[in-house]
Amino acid sequence: MPASVPGARHRKPRGPSALRAGAAALASVPPGRRLAAGLGLASVLAATVLTAAVDPAAPVAPDRVPARETSTFAQVSGD
């Protein structure tokens, strides 16, 4: 009698892989919605890249003083 792996006979069959489940879910979505979702995702990615890569157009105006230097507490404490 060959050596058997304990519990091998009671193993459940594997379900569909995540990739197959995702492909099946994507196939059930109408093409127009797939296009809209893809364009939306592309715009979000583009906005993220531009936000990270582009420097502000101009520095803060010199007449704008940061709040921490003009707060009431800073005036009272003399900081």
Side-chain angles (χ1 to χ4, degrees):
M1 182 171 174
S4 64
V5 178
R9 291 186 297 172
H10 301 291
R11 218 182 297 170
K12 291 182 180 179
R14 287 195 311 188
S17 69
L19 184 61
R20 285 189 182 176
L26 189 60
S28 68
V29 177
R33 289 206 180 164
R34 271 185 271 167
L35 177 63
L39 290 174
L41 180 62
S43 67
V44 167
L45 289 175
T48 303
V49 168
L50 287 174
T51 302
V54 175
D55 291 328
V60 176
D63 62 339
R64 304 280 182 174
V65 182
R68 66 180 179 273
E69 294 179 13
T70 60
S71 68
T72 306
F73 178 76
Q75 290 173 1
V76 171
S77 65
D79 287 341

